[in-house]
């Protein structure tokens, strides 16, 4: 079986705060391989594809607006169980309660904008990873 891959995004808050390097350092220290990496200014259509599963939820429109607020760094990663492993590095969705030691737990909190500014995205299944890698690395 080929090594698993996942799609990671450093979201606009992570890029704007100069945390891209710190986040990539954690990924590399964990031993995952960066297969490809791009700085991207996604448009609304691109983000609608990426977040299709959340369309209609109360946080959907604010999430898209937040994701349009600045460039993101898209990273294609490979490694055994990298999908699960990166989500473990990232921590819980809500950065306020994400464990210290995780990316969201160490660098994130609620800034009064609910939980949307949580620094990173990571695919949640092999199917999502394949779909999302296709969206960001065509
Ligand atoms: P995940 O990024 O941990 O997989 P998802 O449930 O897939 O979390 O949600 C996608 C993104 O939408 C989150 O990372 C966060 O930025 C945002 N989000 C999720 N739930 C809320 C919410 O209740 N309020 C505001 N933003 C949210
Ligand atoms: Mg998700």
């Amino acid at each position: 079986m080929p090594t698993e891959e996942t799609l990671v995004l450093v979201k606009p808050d992570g890029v704007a705060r100069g945390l891209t390097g710190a986040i990539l350092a954690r990924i590399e220290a964990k031993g995952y391989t960066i297969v490809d990496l791009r700085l991207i200014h996604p448009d609304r259509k691109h983000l609608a594809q990426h977040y299709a599963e959340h369309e209609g939820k109360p946080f959907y429109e604010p999430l898209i607006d937040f994701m349009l607020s600045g460039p993101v760094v898209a990273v294609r990663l490979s490694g055994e169980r990298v999908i699960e492993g990166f989500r473990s590095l990232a921590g819980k969705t809500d950065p306020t309660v994400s464990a210290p030691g995780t990316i969201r737990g160490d660098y994130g909190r609620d800034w009064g904008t609910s939980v949307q500014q949580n620094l990173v995205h990571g695919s949640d299944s092999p199917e999502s990873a394949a779909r999302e890698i296709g969206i960001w690395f065509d």
Side-chain angles (χ1 to χ4, degrees), residues 2-123:
T3 305
E4 189 171 89
E5 291 194 351
T6 195
L7 186 276
V8 168
L9 300 176
V10 181
K11 294 182 178 184
D13 55 334
V15 175
R17 290 174 58 203
L19 293 171
T20 304
I23 291 166
L24 293 176
R26 289 174 179 230
I27 289 169
E28 290 192 304
K30 184 82 171 175
Y32 297 129
T33 301
I34 297 173
V35 178
D36 206 345
L37 183 151
R38 297 177 64 189
L39 182 88
I40 304 178
H41 295 69
D43 61 17
R44 194 172 283 277
K45 201 175 137 201
H46 186 136
L47 292 167
Q49 266 189 289
H50 177 76
Y51 281 125
E53 67 175 303
H54 295 305
E55 202 188 334
K57 293 183 187 171
F59 63 83
Y60 177 79
E61 290 297 339
L63 172 63
I64 299 291
D65 287 341
F66 158 61
M67 291 296 292
L68 284 168
S69 67
V72 308
V73 172
V75 191
R76 182 174 181 166
L77 284 186
S78 76
E80 301 304 324
R81 297 172 67 197
V82 67
I83 294 172
E84 184 186 6
F86 177 75
R87 286 180 68 87
S88 173
L89 280 184
K92 285 186 186 172
T93 304
D94 181 349
T96 295
V97 298
S98 220
T102 65
I103 294 167
R104 289 164 169 171
D106 284 351
Y107 302 131
R109 67 171 173 91
D110 192 332
W111 304 90
T113 52
S114 191
V115 307
Q116 72 215 16
Q117 296 194 30
N118 60 3
L119 298 144
V120 289
H121 165 83
S123 309

